[in-house]
Amino acid sequence: MDTKEQKIIARCQSGEMEAFTELYDAYVRKIYDFIFYRTFHRQTAEDLTSQVFLKALDNISKFRSERGSFSTWIYTISRNVIIDHSRVRKDYDDIAEYEHLPTAQNVAEEAHQALQKEQVSEWLKELAPEVRDVVIMRVWDELSYEEIAAVVGKSQASLKMAFSRGLLKLKQHAQTVLSLLLFIKILW
Amino acid sequence: MVNPLSDLKNNEQERLTAELKKHKPDTSFSLVFAARLRDRLRQKAAAYAQSNTGPISNNLKNYMHMKKFILSFGTLAFVALAALIVYPIIQKQYSPGVVSQHLLSGSFSVTPVRENSFGNLQTNTMRQQNSAAGLGGGGNAVVLYAPNEPDPTMDTKISDNSERMMMPQQTYTYVYKGEALIGLADKQSVLRRLGNSGNQSAAGDLVKKFSLGLVDIGKFQQQKLQNFTMVEDREFGYSISVDLNQSIVSISQNWEKWPHPEQSCQTDSCYQQYRIKISELPDDGTAISIANEFLANFGISNQGYGSPSVNNFWRTDYERSTDKANYYIPDSITVIYPLVFDGQQVLDEGGNPSGISVSVDSKTKRVTGVYGLHSQQYESSEYLGETSSEKILQIAQAGGFRSYLPLATERTKGIEVELGTPVSGFVQIWKYDQGQTQELYVPALVFPVKGVVQDGTYLPKQVIVPLVKELLDDSLFPIRAQGGVMFK
């Protein structure tokens, strides 16, 4: 684990709890993005991000570096928070059920963006949830296979396989979408 | 097993990955949100006051593993505490005229000091946020209080896009339906809790008498003992953290001495067998009895605190859940002993009762922690009170202090939420200034939120409006001249 992080955690665990804000500063953007990619809803992402860091602060004394990195720990908390949330509010959380309503004045630009976003979610909803999770973690969260393995508790080999399967599935289902996007880009 | 890679042509994986990456969504990350959450975490960290942590740091663990001829931290802390307790007795017996000293006082006292003694009550964060928002009459002034304002640090285009990408959000309008407000005082007494016990130097002198082996601690000058932690080295033992700077004692599990079989689980089925079932939860009466017994056993006085109650917020969520089998039942139940000043409730900034909280483990039915136990020495200083009932009601209808409920805008029609006649209380505020933390208790009106809304949103239980004029400054609560909707 990162030496600097180790030192910050040691400070927290020895009573200097305000040092936790240094960990927060390092991770807040990553965790917010991680949640947003799975909820596509800003307010929800903010609420859940708050929950993640409050839980992390509450439990920092229980963190044990020998069991894994802080990064793995905080991503695991995030994942659990999203899962808990989806159990209660499935309508918001499932990307497959995501819908959005354009409201702004710039209709052309909005249509372009909305279509892009909708198509991305269309691509992703073709994937099984666990595969989708791996693809998003790898591509958008930019986590290494090692990090993903630690968070989801699967082997790197199986994750690589899942990732490749995901891409193959995308290839099969998204070819039309890619063409459409390319066409739209040319138009605009 | 078929390798899916074989179905992808050369570079296709990279191309698809790049394409996906290119369409990575704009997450509309808000710097204001980040600053607000950071502030909340910092406040909570301060409230823990260097407690609720593991018994000792990893560095100290390593240090202890050296097994050198040195005093371990635990031993040192124990000896220090023993000495702190024993020393005054010895002093009293063998040094006539020296009175035994308490490290922390258990009594309640309020000492009046001159007006405005605690400085401007607006916290630095409030002022900075205002400054960052570019105030001057604009509607973005309320970044702390109106969570749904557009992020003022983002440019308009991005802001518009983010709004476009959000799920349509229901908004609400508070409507006051209580009695007319009367008897608003032009002076309000704000309390500040005194942290430093004044005996830290004496405690520091005692610690100096012990050799640390690695350093001659006696050479350091004007030492004060700021905090120490002791652990019970027994099964189901506790960790006791004492912060002499803030006069706060916290008790938590000595994690290593409590069984945590679920920690070794590698599979979901293993983990599931240790999950708490709702049938295993102690009822409220049992939880309160367990907490009462613990306080009595360890000589913790609940004088000055109201009747205990169980924090059952999660049950509302549970009752609404359609998948109760998979609902996460909390591992512990929290019993709150609410702080009461002069018969009036004290609420934290989130509107929850402030006071001693005792966690009771749902499975073992044992107390796992006691937090919020602090000395009750206060100073009292008068500040200018807000006497305009109209302004107070406007602010209440705008959500008051720290409201999270999305309020209606000029463009949206909100669901009506009724506010009832308020009661007097206090709101606890943490003020950070030049590295110092002040714990303040400000007189406030607490407006009960009545009823439920049909869309199932969790409404706050109350809306809090502080009664000190400077906390209701127009720059913090910009109120429009007309109309029931104040913000945006």
Side-chain angles (χ1 to χ4, degrees):
Chain A
M1 189 169 65
D2 183 279
T3 312
K4 189 183 169 194
E5 280 183 6
Q6 269 183 337
K7 285 180 180 171
I8 297 171
I9 290 164
R11 282 164 61 200
C12 291
Q13 294 184 334
S14 64
E16 196 189 333
M17 291 294 277
E18 291 200 29
F20 183 82
T21 53
E22 293 177 42
L23 294 171
Y24 168 78
D25 290 340
Y27 281 93
V28 62
R29 180 67 197 257
K30 292 177 189 169
I31 296 302
Y32 171 87
D33 286 354
F34 181 84
I35 295 172
F36 186 92
Y37 296 147
R38 288 150 183 85
T39 61
F40 279 75
H41 185 248
R42 178 176 168 172
Q43 192 71 47
T44 303
E46 290 185 353
D47 289 348
L48 298 187
T49 303
S50 302
Q51 280 186 39
V52 168
F53 282 100
L54 288 166
K55 281 188 180 187
L57 175 63
D58 286 343
N59 292 287
I60 191 72
S61 62
K62 300 173 190 170
F63 174 77
R64 296 287 179 267
S65 58
E66 60 270 23
R67 290 180 190 152
S69 68
F70 179 80
S71 170
T72 302
W73 189 65
I74 195 92
Y75 275 112
T76 305
I77 293 175
S78 308
R79 203 158 172 267
N80 292 340
V81 163
I82 294 168
I83 291 167
D84 286 347
H85 177 77
S86 67
R87 283 173 181 157
V88 182
R89 304 287 296 270
K90 285 179 180 168
D91 51 339
Y92 274 170
D93 267 279
D94 194 337
I95 194 172
E97 295 176 30
Y98 167 74
E99 289 178 6
H100 60 92
L101 301 173
T103 55
Q105 297 122 3
N106 190 341
V107 177
E109 189 187 341
E110 181 178 276
H112 171 60
Q113 290 201 0
L115 185 57
Q116 275 197 343
K117 193 166 167 49
E118 195 163 290
Q119 300 303 354
V120 171
S121 63
E122 283 294 320
W123 291 1
L124 293 171
K125 82 174 180 184
E126 295 297 334
L127 306 179
E130 64 276 11
V131 175
R132 184 196 308 151
D133 213 21
V134 173
V135 170
I136 293 176
M137 280 194 202
R138 187 80 188 99
V139 181
W140 289 347
D141 295 317
E142 297 178 17
L143 297 179
S144 67
Y145 283 117
E146 189 182 354
E147 288 170 314
I148 300 170
V151 173
V152 302
K154 290 182 179 170
S155 71
Q156 290 188 44
S158 69
L159 292 173
K160 284 176 184 171
M161 191 70 76
F163 182 69
S164 298
R165 279 215 178 90
L167 290 187
L168 183 62
K169 185 97 172 166
L170 288 180
K171 179 196 165 195
Q172 290 164 350
H173 290 272
Q175 200 59 50
T176 315
V177 176
L178 283 170
S179 307
L180 183 60
L181 283 173
L182 188 62
F183 177 68
I184 291 167
K185 275 178 197 155
I186 293 165
L187 279 185
W188 300 112
Chain B
M1 186 183 289
V2 178
N3 182 357
L5 278 173
S6 63
D7 289 340
L8 288 173
K9 290 176 188 169
N10 288 343
N11 298 326
E12 270 196 311
Q13 186 170 16
E14 287 79 4
R15 188 178 64 78
L16 283 165
T17 304
E19 193 65 35
L20 255 183
K21 203 171 267 185
K22 207 160 62 184
H23 290 92
K24 185 169 162 174
D26 171 12
T27 62
S28 312
F29 181 70
S30 160
L31 294 176
V32 171
F33 156 72
R36 196 185 304 138
L37 178 56
R38 191 179 199 281
D39 188 45
R40 193 174 163 197
L41 289 166
R42 201 171 48 174
Q43 287 185 32
K44 192 166 186 188
Y48 275 148
Q50 303 175 357
S51 64
N52 194 24
T53 62
I56 45 177
S57 71
N58 288 335
N59 287 343
L60 281 166
K61 272 185 185 169
N62 295 336
Y63 172 78
M64 288 165 73
H65 287 158
M66 292 164 69
K67 297 187 184 301
K68 294 284 176 67
F69 185 65
I70 53 174
L71 284 171
S72 72
F73 179 74
T75 311
L76 177 63
F78 176 78
V79 172
L81 187 75
L84 292 169
I85 295 165
V86 173
Y87 178 70
I89 299 169
I90 296 171
Q91 284 287 78
K92 193 174 181 181
Q93 285 181 344
Y94 297 101
S95 307
V98 177
V99 180
S100 72
Q101 298 174 328
H102 291 287
L103 264 186
L104 301 177
S105 172
S107 63
F108 181 93
S109 73
V110 178
T111 307
V113 293
R114 62 182 169 75
E115 287 185 10
N116 304 315
S117 282
F118 313 143
N120 190 327
L121 299 184
Q122 291 177 14
T123 65
N124 270 355
T125 312
M126 292 176 192
R127 290 195 290 270
Q128 284 163 7
Q129 296 265 19
N130 280 344
S131 169
L135 300 185
N140 286 338
V142 287
V143 285
L144 276 177
Y145 304 100
N148 296 294
E149 288 291 320
D151 179 351
T153 62
M154 297 173 73
D155 69 49
T156 312
K157 189 179 174 190
I158 296 173
S159 255
D160 282 347
N161 286 343
S162 69
E163 191 171 318
R164 205 178 303 148
M165 283 155 54
M166 283 172 59
M167 295 283 287
Q169 187 175 35
Q170 182 58 59
T171 57
Y172 303 85
T173 305
Y174 286 115
V175 179
Y176 181 67
K177 293 188 176 176
E179 298 167 7
L181 302 185
I182 52 170
L184 294 166
D186 58 354
K187 290 286 174 65
Q188 295 287 350
S189 292
V190 176
L191 298 178
R192 175 171 67 178
R193 194 174 70 80
L194 297 174
N196 193 322
S197 64
N199 292 332
Q200 291 172 268
S201 298
D205 287 344
L206 279 167
V207 176
K208 275 172 69 174
K209 295 181 189 305
F210 298 96
S211 168
L212 290 183
L214 294 178
V215 61
D216 183 357
I217 199 169
K219 295 286 187 191
F220 293 97
Q221 298 174 11
Q222 297 178 328
Q223 294 177 32
K224 289 181 175 181
L225 186 62
Q226 289 197 327
N227 55 69
F228 58 89
T229 301
M230 294 193 308
V231 292
E232 284 187 308
D233 189 16
R234 65 173 177 92
E235 192 183 20
F236 296 108
Y238 291 98
S239 167
I240 305 101
S241 296
V242 181
D243 179 352
L244 295 173
N245 259 355
Q246 295 296 321
S247 298
I248 297 175
V249 177
S250 301
I251 300 167
S252 56
Q253 292 171 294
N254 178 1
W255 184 256
E256 291 171 1
K257 294 293 179 182
W258 287 59
H260 301 287
E262 74 285 358
Q263 296 286 317
S264 55
C265 282
Q266 298 292 325
T267 62
D268 188 54
S269 59
C270 169
Y271 171 74
Q272 292 298 335
Q273 70 174 311
Y274 292 112
R275 276 186 57 185
I276 291 287
K277 298 173 186 64
I278 193 128
S279 57
E280 293 177 288
L281 290 180
D283 58 43
D284 289 2
T286 305
I288 289 170
S289 296
I290 292 168
N292 283 340
E293 190 181 352
F294 185 90
L295 296 190
N297 279 349
F298 288 92
I300 299 169
S301 170
N302 57 5
Q303 200 174 8
Y305 294 89
S307 301
S309 62
V310 172
N311 180 343
N312 270 330
F313 294 153
W314 67 272
R315 281 189 186 271
T316 313
D317 204 31
Y318 174 77
E319 292 305 329
R320 291 179 183 185
S321 170
T322 53
D323 185 13
K324 290 189 170 54
N326 282 317
Y327 191 90
Y328 171 73
I329 307 295
D331 294 334
S332 63
I333 287 176
T334 304
V335 178
I336 303 278
Y337 295 77
L339 189 57
V340 174
F341 290 151
D342 201 19
Q344 296 175 11
Q345 61 180 324
V346 180
L347 302 172
D348 65 22
E349 293 185 28
N352 303 306
S354 175
I356 302 173
S357 67
V358 180
S359 298
V360 177
D361 184 64
S362 304
K363 216 157 199 138
T364 61
K365 315 289 188 287
R366 291 169 181 267
V367 167
T368 54
V370 179
Y371 305 102
L373 181 61
H374 57 62
S375 67
Q376 299 249 43
Q377 312 284 302
Y378 300 91
E379 286 179 336
S380 160
S381 175
E382 290 196 329
Y383 278 76
L384 215 51
E386 178 57 67
T387 55
S388 165
S389 59
E390 186 187 7
K391 182 168 185 176
I392 287 170
L393 289 179
Q394 280 181 321
I395 290 170
Q397 289 179 111
F401 206 56
R402 305 285 196 223
S403 173
Y404 66 81
L405 205 60
L407 296 177
T409 69
E410 287 168 339
R411 290 172 298 182
T412 61
K413 180 173 169 56
I415 293 178
E416 186 177 304
V417 177
E418 183 183 340
L419 292 179
T421 305
V423 294
S424 297
F426 284 83
V427 60
Q428 183 185 34
I429 292 174
W430 295 90
K431 182 187 170 192
Y432 304 93
D433 217 351
Q434 297 177 335
Q436 299 294 313
T437 303
Q438 293 196 66
E439 188 180 331
L440 302 170
Y441 295 85
V442 180
L445 286 181
V446 182
F447 294 79
V449 173
K450 295 195 161 183
V452 292
V453 288
Q454 288 186 346
D455 70 346
T457 295
Y458 301 108
L459 297 176
K461 286 189 169 180
Q462 61 266 312
V463 163
I464 303 171
V465 179
L467 289 172
V468 169
K469 211 173 183 69
E470 66 190 57
L471 281 177
L472 304 181
D473 190 288
D474 286 346
S475 66
L476 296 174
F477 293 94
I479 295 169
R480 298 197 169 206
Q482 285 139 10
V485 180
M486 262 58 72
F487 296 150
K488 192 172 175 186

